[in-house]
Coordinates of all heavy atoms in Angstrom, one line a residue:
M1 N -1.9 -7.4 -32.4 CA -1.3 -7.6 -31.1 C -2.0 -8.9 -30.5 O -3.2 -9.0 -30.5 CB -1.6 -6.4 -30.2 CG -1.0 -6.5 -28.8 SD -1.1 -4.9 -27.9 CE 0.6 -4.4 -28.2
D2 N -1.2 -9.8 -30.0 CA -1.7 -11.0 -29.4 C -2.2 -10.7 -27.9 O -2.0 -9.7 -27.4 CB -0.7 -12.1 -29.5 CG 0.5 -12.0 -28.6 OD1 0.5 -11.2 -27.6 OD2 1.5 -12.6 -28.9
K3 N -2.8 -11.7 -27.4 CA -3.4 -11.6 -26.0 C -2.4 -11.3 -25.0 O -2.6 -10.5 -24.1 CB -4.2 -12.8 -25.7 CG -5.4 -13.0 -26.5 CD -6.2 -14.3 -26.1 CE -7.4 -14.4 -27.0 NZ -8.2 -15.5 -26.7
L4 N -1.2 -11.9 -25.0 CA -0.2 -11.7 -24.0 C 0.3 -10.2 -24.1 O 0.5 -9.5 -23.1 CB 1.0 -12.6 -24.2 CG 2.1 -12.6 -23.2 CD1 1.6 -12.8 -21.8 CD2 3.2 -13.6 -23.5
D5 N 0.5 -9.7 -25.3 CA 0.9 -8.3 -25.5 C -0.2 -7.3 -25.0 O 0.1 -6.3 -24.4 CB 1.2 -8.0 -27.0 CG 2.4 -8.7 -27.5 OD1 3.3 -9.0 -26.7 OD2 2.5 -8.9 -28.8
T6 N -1.4 -7.7 -25.2 CA -2.5 -6.9 -24.7 C -2.5 -6.8 -23.1 O -2.7 -5.8 -22.5 CB -3.9 -7.4 -25.2 OG1 -3.9 -7.3 -26.6 CG2 -5.1 -6.6 -24.6
L7 N -2.3 -8.0 -22.5 CA -2.2 -8.0 -21.1 C -1.0 -7.2 -20.6 O -1.1 -6.5 -19.6 CB -2.1 -9.5 -20.6 CG -3.2 -10.4 -20.8 CD1 -2.9 -11.8 -20.2 CD2 -4.5 -9.9 -20.3
T8 N 0.1 -7.3 -21.3 CA 1.3 -6.6 -20.9 C 1.0 -5.1 -21.0 O 1.4 -4.3 -20.1 CB 2.5 -6.9 -21.8 OG1 2.7 -8.3 -21.6 CG2 3.7 -6.2 -21.5
L9 N 0.4 -4.6 -22.0 CA 0.0 -3.2 -22.2 C -0.9 -2.8 -21.1 O -0.7 -1.7 -20.4 CB -0.7 -3.0 -23.6 CG -1.3 -1.6 -23.8 CD1 -0.2 -0.5 -23.7 CD2 -2.1 -1.6 -25.1
F10 N -1.9 -3.5 -20.8 CA -2.9 -3.2 -19.7 C -2.1 -3.0 -18.4 O -2.3 -2.0 -17.7 CB -3.9 -4.3 -19.6 CG -4.8 -4.1 -18.4 CD1 -5.7 -3.0 -18.3 CD2 -4.8 -4.9 -17.3 CE1 -6.6 -2.8 -17.2 CE2 -5.6 -4.8 -16.2 CZ -6.5 -3.7 -16.2
V11 N -1.3 -4.0 -18.0 CA -0.5 -3.9 -16.8 C 0.4 -2.7 -16.8 O 0.5 -2.0 -15.7 CB 0.3 -5.2 -16.6 CG1 1.3 -5.1 -15.5 CG2 -0.7 -6.4 -16.3
R12 N 1.1 -2.4 -17.9 CA 2.0 -1.2 -17.9 C 1.2 0.1 -17.7 O 1.7 1.0 -17.0 CB 2.8 -1.2 -19.2 CG 3.8 -2.3 -19.4 CD 4.7 -2.5 -18.2 NE 5.5 -1.3 -18.0 CZ 6.0 -1.0 -16.8 NH1 5.8 -1.7 -15.7 NH2 6.7 0.1 -16.6
I13 N 0.0 0.2 -18.3 CA -0.8 1.4 -18.2 C -1.2 1.5 -16.7 O -1.1 2.7 -16.2 CB -2.1 1.3 -19.1 CG1 -1.7 1.4 -20.5 CG2 -3.1 2.3 -18.7 CD1 -2.8 1.0 -21.5
V14 N -1.6 0.5 -16.1 CA -1.9 0.6 -14.7 C -0.7 0.9 -13.8 O -0.8 1.8 -13.0 CB -2.6 -0.8 -14.2 CG1 -2.8 -0.7 -12.7 CG2 -3.9 -1.0 -14.9
E15 N 0.4 0.3 -14.0 CA 1.6 0.6 -13.2 C 2.1 2.0 -13.4 O 2.5 2.6 -12.4 CB 2.7 -0.5 -13.5 CG 2.3 -1.9 -13.1 CD 3.4 -2.9 -13.5 OE1 4.1 -2.6 -14.5 OE2 3.3 -4.0 -12.9
L16 N 2.0 2.5 -14.6 CA 2.6 3.8 -14.9 C 1.5 4.9 -14.8 O 1.8 6.1 -14.8 CB 3.1 3.8 -16.3 CG 4.4 2.9 -16.5 CD1 4.7 2.9 -18.0 CD2 5.5 3.4 -15.7
K17 N 0.2 4.4 -14.6 CA -0.9 5.4 -14.6 C -0.9 6.3 -15.8 O -1.3 7.5 -15.6 CB -0.9 6.1 -13.2 CG -1.0 5.3 -12.0 CD -1.0 6.1 -10.8 CE -1.3 5.3 -9.5 NZ -0.2 4.4 -9.1
S18 N -0.6 5.7 -16.9 CA -0.5 6.6 -18.1 C -0.5 5.7 -19.4 O 0.3 4.8 -19.5 CB 0.8 7.4 -18.1 OG 1.0 8.0 -19.3
F19 N -1.4 6.1 -20.3 CA -1.4 5.4 -21.6 C -0.2 5.9 -22.4 O 0.4 5.0 -23.0 CB -2.7 5.9 -22.4 CG -3.9 5.1 -22.1 CD1 -4.6 5.2 -20.9 CD2 -4.4 4.1 -23.0 CE1 -5.8 4.5 -20.6 CE2 -5.5 3.3 -22.7 CZ -6.2 3.5 -21.5
S20 N 0.1 7.1 -22.3 CA 1.3 7.7 -23.1 C 2.6 7.0 -22.7 O 3.3 6.6 -23.6 CB 1.4 9.2 -22.9 OG 0.2 9.8 -23.4
R21 N 2.9 7.0 -21.4 CA 4.1 6.4 -21.0 C 4.2 4.9 -21.3 O 5.2 4.4 -21.6 CB 4.4 6.7 -19.5 CG 4.8 8.1 -19.2 CD 5.1 8.4 -17.8 NE 3.8 8.4 -17.1 CZ 3.6 8.8 -15.9 NH1 4.6 9.0 -15.1 NH2 2.4 8.8 -15.4
A22 N 3.1 4.2 -21.1 CA 3.1 2.8 -21.4 C 3.3 2.5 -22.9 O 4.1 1.7 -23.3 CB 1.7 2.1 -20.9
A23 N 2.6 3.3 -23.7 CA 2.8 3.2 -25.1 C 4.2 3.4 -25.5 O 4.8 2.7 -26.4 CB 1.8 4.1 -25.9
E24 N 4.8 4.5 -25.0 CA 6.2 4.8 -25.3 C 7.1 3.7 -24.9 O 8.0 3.3 -25.7 CB 6.5 6.1 -24.5 CG 7.9 6.6 -24.8 CD 8.3 7.9 -24.1 OE1 7.4 8.8 -24.0 OE2 9.4 8.0 -23.6
Q25 N 6.9 3.1 -23.7 CA 7.8 2.0 -23.2 C 7.7 0.8 -24.1 O 8.7 0.1 -24.4 CB 7.5 1.6 -21.8 CG 8.1 2.4 -20.8 CD 8.0 1.8 -19.4 OE1 7.5 0.7 -19.2 NE2 8.5 2.5 -18.4
L26 N 6.5 0.6 -24.6 CA 6.2 -0.6 -25.5 C 6.4 -0.3 -27.0 O 6.1 -1.1 -27.8 CB 4.9 -1.2 -25.1 CG 4.7 -1.7 -23.7 CD1 3.3 -2.1 -23.5 CD2 5.6 -2.9 -23.4
E27 N 6.8 0.9 -27.2 CA 7.0 1.4 -28.6 C 5.8 1.2 -29.5 O 5.8 0.7 -30.6 CB 8.2 0.7 -29.2 CG 9.5 0.9 -28.5 CD 10.7 0.2 -29.1 OE1 10.6 -0.6 -30.0 OE2 11.8 0.5 -28.5
L28 N 4.7 1.7 -29.0 CA 3.4 1.8 -29.7 C 2.9 3.2 -29.8 O 3.2 4.0 -28.9 CB 2.3 1.0 -28.8 CG 2.4 -0.5 -28.7 CD1 1.4 -0.9 -27.6 CD2 2.1 -1.1 -30.0
P29 N 2.2 3.5 -30.9 CA 1.5 4.8 -30.9 C 0.5 4.9 -29.8 O -0.2 3.9 -29.5 CB 0.9 4.8 -32.3 CG 1.5 3.7 -33.1 CD 2.0 2.7 -32.1
R30 N 0.3 6.1 -29.2 CA -0.6 6.2 -28.1 C -2.0 5.8 -28.5 O -2.8 5.2 -27.8 CB -0.6 7.6 -27.5 CG -1.5 7.7 -26.3 CD -1.8 9.2 -25.9 NE -2.5 9.3 -24.6 CZ -3.8 8.9 -24.5 NH1 -4.5 8.4 -25.5 NH2 -4.4 9.1 -23.3
G31 N -2.4 6.2 -29.7 CA -3.7 5.9 -30.2 C -4.0 4.4 -30.3 O -5.1 4.0 -30.1
S32 N -2.9 3.7 -30.7 CA -3.1 2.2 -30.8 C -3.3 1.7 -29.4 O -4.1 0.8 -29.2 CB -1.8 1.6 -31.4 OG -1.7 2.0 -32.7
A33 N -2.6 2.2 -28.4 CA -2.8 1.7 -27.0 C -4.2 1.9 -26.5 O -4.8 1.0 -25.9 CB -1.8 2.4 -26.1
T34 N -4.7 3.1 -26.8 CA -6.1 3.4 -26.5 C -7.1 2.4 -27.1 O -8.0 1.9 -26.5 CB -6.4 4.9 -26.8 OG1 -5.5 5.7 -26.2 CG2 -7.9 5.2 -26.5
Q35 N -6.9 2.2 -28.4 CA -7.8 1.3 -29.2 C -7.7 -0.1 -28.7 O -8.7 -0.8 -28.6 CB -7.5 1.4 -30.7 CG -8.0 2.6 -31.3 CD -9.5 2.9 -31.1 OE1 -10.3 2.0 -31.2 NE2 -9.8 4.1 -30.7
I36 N -6.5 -0.6 -28.4 CA -6.3 -1.9 -27.9 C -7.1 -2.1 -26.5 O -7.7 -3.2 -26.3 CB -4.8 -2.3 -27.7 CG1 -4.2 -2.3 -29.1 CG2 -4.6 -3.5 -26.9 CD1 -2.7 -2.3 -29.1
I37 N -7.0 -1.2 -25.6 CA -7.7 -1.3 -24.4 C -9.2 -1.2 -24.6 O -9.9 -1.9 -23.9 CB -7.2 -0.2 -23.3 CG1 -5.7 -0.5 -23.0 CG2 -8.0 -0.2 -22.1 CD1 -5.3 -1.9 -22.5
K38 N -9.6 -0.3 -25.5 CA -11.1 -0.3 -25.8 C -11.6 -1.6 -26.3 O -12.7 -2.1 -25.9 CB -11.4 0.8 -26.8 CG -11.4 2.2 -26.2 CD -11.7 3.2 -27.3 CE -11.7 4.6 -26.8 NZ -12.0 5.6 -27.8
Q39 N -10.8 -2.2 -27.1 CA -11.2 -3.5 -27.7 C -11.2 -4.6 -26.6 O -12.1 -5.5 -26.6 CB -10.2 -4.0 -28.8 CG -10.4 -3.1 -30.1 CD -9.3 -3.3 -31.1 OE1 -8.3 -4.1 -30.8 NE2 -9.4 -2.7 -32.2
L40 N -10.2 -4.5 -25.7 CA -10.2 -5.5 -24.6 C -11.4 -5.3 -23.7 O -12.0 -6.3 -23.3 CB -8.9 -5.2 -23.7 CG -8.8 -6.0 -22.4 CD1 -8.7 -7.5 -22.7 CD2 -7.5 -5.6 -21.7
E41 N -11.7 -4.1 -23.4 CA -12.9 -3.9 -22.5 C -14.2 -4.3 -23.3 O -15.1 -4.9 -22.6 CB -13.0 -2.4 -22.2 CG -12.0 -1.9 -21.2 CD -12.0 -0.4 -21.0 OE1 -12.3 0.4 -21.9 OE2 -11.7 0.0 -19.8
A42 N -14.3 -4.1 -24.5 CA -15.4 -4.6 -25.3 C -15.5 -6.1 -25.3 O -16.6 -6.7 -25.2 CB -15.4 -4.0 -26.7
R43 N -14.4 -6.7 -25.5 CA -14.3 -8.2 -25.5 C -14.7 -8.8 -24.2 O -15.5 -9.8 -24.1 CB -12.9 -8.7 -25.9 CG -12.8 -10.1 -26.2 CD -11.5 -10.5 -26.9 NE -10.3 -10.1 -26.2 CZ -9.5 -9.2 -26.7 NH1 -9.6 -8.6 -27.8 NH2 -8.4 -8.9 -25.9
L44 N -14.3 -8.1 -23.1 CA -14.6 -8.6 -21.8 C -16.0 -8.2 -21.3 O -16.6 -8.8 -20.4 CB -13.6 -8.1 -20.8 CG -12.2 -8.6 -20.9 CD1 -11.2 -7.9 -20.0 CD2 -12.1 -10.1 -20.8
G45 N -16.5 -7.1 -21.9 CA -17.8 -6.6 -21.6 C -17.8 -5.8 -20.3 O -18.9 -5.7 -19.6
V46 N -16.7 -5.3 -19.9 CA -16.6 -4.5 -18.6 C -15.7 -3.3 -18.8 O -14.8 -3.4 -19.7 CB -16.0 -5.4 -17.4 CG1 -17.0 -6.5 -17.1 CG2 -14.6 -5.9 -17.7
K47 N -15.9 -2.3 -18.0 CA -15.0 -1.2 -18.0 C -13.8 -1.5 -17.0 O -14.1 -1.8 -15.9 CB -15.8 0.0 -17.6 CG -15.1 1.3 -17.7 CD -15.2 1.8 -19.1 CE -14.9 3.3 -19.2 NZ -14.6 3.6 -20.6
L48 N -12.6 -1.5 -17.5 CA -11.5 -1.8 -16.6 C -10.8 -0.5 -16.1 O -10.3 -0.5 -14.9 CB -10.4 -2.5 -17.4 CG -10.8 -3.9 -18.0 CD1 -9.8 -4.4 -18.9 CD2 -11.1 -4.9 -16.9
L49 N -10.8 0.5 -16.9 CA -10.1 1.8 -16.5 C -11.0 3.0 -16.5 O -11.8 3.1 -17.5 CB -8.9 2.0 -17.4 CG -7.8 0.9 -17.4 CD1 -6.9 1.2 -18.6 CD2 -7.1 1.0 -16.1
L50 N -10.9 3.9 -15.6 CA -11.5 5.2 -15.6 C -10.5 6.1 -16.0 O -9.4 6.3 -15.4 CB -12.1 5.5 -14.2 CG -13.1 4.6 -13.7 CD1 -13.4 4.9 -12.2 CD2 -14.4 4.6 -14.5
R51 N -10.7 6.8 -17.1 CA -9.7 7.7 -17.6 C -10.2 9.2 -17.8 O -11.3 9.4 -18.2 CB -9.1 7.3 -19.0 CG -9.9 6.2 -19.7 CD -9.2 5.6 -20.8 NE -9.8 4.7 -21.7 CZ -10.4 3.5 -21.4 NH1 -10.5 3.1 -20.2 NH2 -10.9 2.8 -22.4
T52 N -9.4 10.1 -17.4 CA -9.6 11.5 -17.7 C -8.3 12.0 -18.4 O -7.4 11.2 -18.6 CB -9.8 12.3 -16.4 OG1 -8.6 12.3 -15.6 CG2 -10.9 11.7 -15.5
T53 N -8.3 13.2 -18.7 CA -7.1 13.8 -19.3 C -5.9 13.8 -18.3 O -4.8 13.9 -18.8 CB -7.3 15.2 -19.8 OG1 -7.8 16.0 -18.8 CG2 -8.3 15.2 -21.0
R54 N -6.2 13.7 -17.1 CA -5.1 13.8 -16.1 C -4.8 12.5 -15.3 O -3.7 12.4 -14.7 CB -5.5 14.9 -15.0 CG -5.6 16.3 -15.6 CD -5.7 17.3 -14.6 NE -5.9 18.6 -15.2 CZ -5.0 19.5 -15.3 NH1 -3.8 19.2 -14.9 NH2 -5.2 20.6 -15.9
Q55 N -5.7 11.6 -15.4 CA -5.4 10.3 -14.6 C -6.0 9.1 -15.2 O -7.0 9.2 -15.9 CB -5.7 10.5 -13.1 CG -7.2 10.6 -12.9 CD -7.5 10.7 -11.4 OE1 -6.6 10.6 -10.5 NE2 -8.7 10.9 -11.0
V56 N -5.5 8.0 -14.8 CA -6.0 6.7 -15.2 C -6.2 5.9 -13.9 O -5.2 5.8 -13.1 CB -5.1 5.9 -16.1 CG1 -5.6 4.5 -16.4 CG2 -4.9 6.7 -17.4
R57 N -7.4 5.4 -13.6 CA -7.6 4.6 -12.4 C -8.3 3.4 -12.8 O -9.1 3.3 -13.8 CB -8.5 5.4 -11.4 CG -7.9 6.7 -10.8 CD -8.8 7.4 -9.9 NE -10.1 7.8 -10.5 CZ -11.3 7.6 -10.1 NH1 -11.5 6.9 -8.9 NH2 -12.3 8.0 -10.7
L58 N -8.2 2.3 -11.9 CA -8.8 1.1 -12.1 C -10.3 1.1 -11.6 O -10.5 1.7 -10.6 CB -8.1 0.0 -11.4 CG -6.8 -0.5 -12.0 CD1 -6.0 -1.4 -11.0 CD2 -7.0 -1.3 -13.2
T59 N -11.1 0.4 -12.3 CA -12.5 0.2 -11.7 C -12.3 -1.0 -10.8 O -11.3 -1.6 -10.7 CB -13.5 -0.2 -12.8 OG1 -13.1 -1.4 -13.4 CG2 -13.6 0.9 -13.9
E60 N -13.4 -1.3 -10.1 CA -13.4 -2.4 -9.2 C -13.0 -3.7 -9.9 O -12.2 -4.5 -9.5 CB -14.7 -2.6 -8.4 CG -14.7 -3.5 -7.3 CD -16.0 -3.4 -6.5 OE1 -16.5 -2.3 -6.3 OE2 -16.4 -4.5 -6.0
L61 N -13.7 -3.9 -11.1 CA -13.4 -5.1 -11.9 C -12.0 -5.0 -12.5 O -11.4 -6.0 -12.7 CB -14.5 -5.3 -12.9 CG -15.9 -5.7 -12.4 CD1 -16.9 -5.7 -13.5 CD2 -15.8 -7.1 -11.7
G62 N -11.6 -3.8 -12.8 CA -10.3 -3.6 -13.4 C -9.2 -4.1 -12.4 O -8.2 -4.6 -12.8
E63 N -9.4 -3.8 -11.1 CA -8.5 -4.2 -10.0 C -8.4 -5.7 -10.0 O -7.2 -6.3 -9.9 CB -8.9 -3.7 -8.7 CG -8.1 -4.1 -7.5 CD -6.7 -3.5 -7.6 OE1 -6.5 -2.3 -8.0 OE2 -5.7 -4.2 -7.2
I64 N -9.5 -6.4 -10.1 CA -9.5 -7.9 -10.1 C -8.7 -8.4 -11.3 O -7.9 -9.3 -11.2 CB -10.9 -8.4 -10.0 CG1 -11.5 -8.1 -8.7 CG2 -10.9 -9.9 -10.2 CD1 -13.0 -8.3 -8.6
Y65 N -9.0 -7.8 -12.5 CA -8.4 -8.2 -13.7 C -6.9 -7.9 -13.7 O -6.1 -8.8 -14.1 CB -9.1 -7.5 -14.9 CG -8.7 -8.1 -16.2 CD1 -9.1 -9.3 -16.7 CD2 -7.9 -7.3 -17.1 CE1 -8.7 -9.8 -17.9 CE2 -7.5 -7.8 -18.3 CZ -7.9 -9.1 -18.7 OH -7.5 -9.6 -19.9
F66 N -6.5 -6.8 -13.1 CA -5.1 -6.4 -13.0 C -4.4 -7.5 -12.2 O -3.3 -7.9 -12.6 CB -5.0 -5.0 -12.4 CG -3.6 -4.7 -12.1 CD1 -2.6 -4.4 -13.1 CD2 -3.1 -4.6 -10.8 CE1 -1.3 -4.0 -12.8 CE2 -1.8 -4.3 -10.5 CZ -0.9 -4.0 -11.5
R67 N -4.9 -7.9 -11.0 CA -4.2 -8.9 -10.2 C -4.1 -10.2 -10.9 O -3.0 -10.8 -10.9 CB -5.0 -9.1 -8.9 CG -4.7 -7.9 -7.9 CD -5.4 -8.1 -6.6 NE -6.7 -7.5 -6.7 CZ -7.7 -7.9 -6.1 NH1 -7.7 -8.9 -5.2 NH2 -8.9 -7.2 -6.2
H68 N -5.1 -10.6 -11.7 CA -5.1 -11.8 -12.5 C -4.0 -11.7 -13.6 O -3.2 -12.6 -13.7 CB -6.4 -12.0 -13.1 CG -6.5 -13.3 -13.9 ND1 -6.5 -14.5 -13.4 CD2 -6.6 -13.4 -15.3 CE1 -6.5 -15.4 -14.4 NE2 -6.6 -14.8 -15.5
C69 N -3.9 -10.6 -14.2 CA -2.9 -10.4 -15.3 C -1.5 -10.4 -14.7 O -0.6 -11.0 -15.3 CB -3.1 -9.1 -16.0 SG -4.6 -9.0 -17.0
R70 N -1.3 -9.8 -13.6 CA 0.0 -9.8 -12.9 C 0.5 -11.2 -12.6 O 1.6 -11.6 -12.8 CB 0.0 -9.0 -11.6 CG 0.0 -7.5 -11.7 CD 1.2 -6.8 -12.3 NE 2.5 -7.5 -12.0 CZ 3.5 -7.5 -12.8 NH1 3.5 -6.9 -13.9 NH2 4.6 -8.0 -12.4
Q71 N -0.5 -12.0 -12.1 CA -0.1 -13.4 -11.8 C 0.3 -14.1 -13.1 O 1.2 -14.9 -13.1 CB -1.3 -14.1 -11.2 CG -1.5 -13.8 -9.7 CD -2.7 -14.5 -9.1 OE1 -3.7 -14.8 -9.8 NE2 -2.5 -15.0 -7.9
L72 N -0.5 -14.0 -14.1 CA -0.2 -14.6 -15.4 C 1.2 -14.2 -15.9 O 2.0 -15.0 -16.4 CB -1.2 -14.3 -16.4 CG -2.6 -15.0 -16.2 CD1 -3.6 -14.5 -17.2 CD2 -2.5 -16.5 -16.3
L73 N 1.5 -12.9 -15.9 CA 2.7 -12.4 -16.4 C 3.9 -12.7 -15.5 O 5.0 -12.8 -16.0 CB 2.6 -10.9 -16.7 CG 1.6 -10.5 -17.7 CD1 1.5 -8.9 -17.7 CD2 2.0 -11.0 -19.1
D74 N 3.7 -12.9 -14.3 CA 4.8 -13.2 -13.3 C 5.2 -14.7 -13.4 O 6.3 -15.1 -13.0 CB 4.4 -12.9 -11.9 CG 4.4 -11.4 -11.6 OD1 5.0 -10.6 -12.4 OD2 3.8 -11.0 -10.6
N75 N 4.3 -15.5 -14.0 CA 4.7 -17.0 -14.1 C 5.4 -17.3 -15.3 O 5.6 -16.7 -16.3 CB 3.4 -17.8 -14.1 CG 2.8 -17.8 -12.7 OD1 3.5 -17.7 -11.7 ND2 1.5 -17.9 -12.6

C-alpha cells in the first residue's frame, strides 16, 4: 500500500470511527487495515489512535495528523 492509500485509510477510519467499516469501504481485510495503521504509527513514532473493542478515538497528535491528511487529500 502506498503512502496516499495509507493516508486515505487513516482518514476513513477516523471519519467512520471504525477499522472494520473503513476496511470494508476500501475493500481491505480488517487485519490488513490494523497492520497498516500500526506500521504508520511505528514509522511516525507516535500513537495516532486510541482503540478499544467498542470505539476508535484520536490522540492529540492524531488530531493534528488527521487535519494535515485531510488537507492533503482535499487538494
Side-chain angles (χ1 to χ4, degrees):
M1 180 169 262
D2 68 22
K3 290 179 182 182
L4 185 59
D5 291 336
T6 299
L7 297 182
T8 300
L9 172 62
F10 173 70
V11 167
R12 294 308 300 150
I13 290 168
V14 172
E15 291 174 343
L16 296 170
K17 297 180 174 73
S18 169
F19 275 76
S20 297
R21 285 183 285 187
E24 184 178 318
Q25 275 193 4
L26 297 173
E27 299 180 355
L28 290 170
R30 187 195 184 288
S32 294
T34 300
Q35 286 305 314
I36 291 164
I37 297 303
K38 282 182 181 180
Q39 290 169 358
L40 174 63
E41 290 175 326
R43 190 169 53 247
L44 296 173
V46 298
K47 190 84 163 159
L48 299 171
L49 298 168
L50 300 171
R51 14 194 190 297
T52 67
T53 55
R54 297 189 184 260
Q55 68 177 354
V56 176
R57 294 181 300 131
L58 286 167
T59 64
E60 193 172 320
L61 291 173
E63 177 67 38
I64 294 166
Y65 191 71
F66 172 73
R67 283 184 269 151
H68 179 69
C69 291
R70 287 292 324 149
Q71 284 182 322
L72 289 172
L73 294 172
D74 287 345
N75 289 328

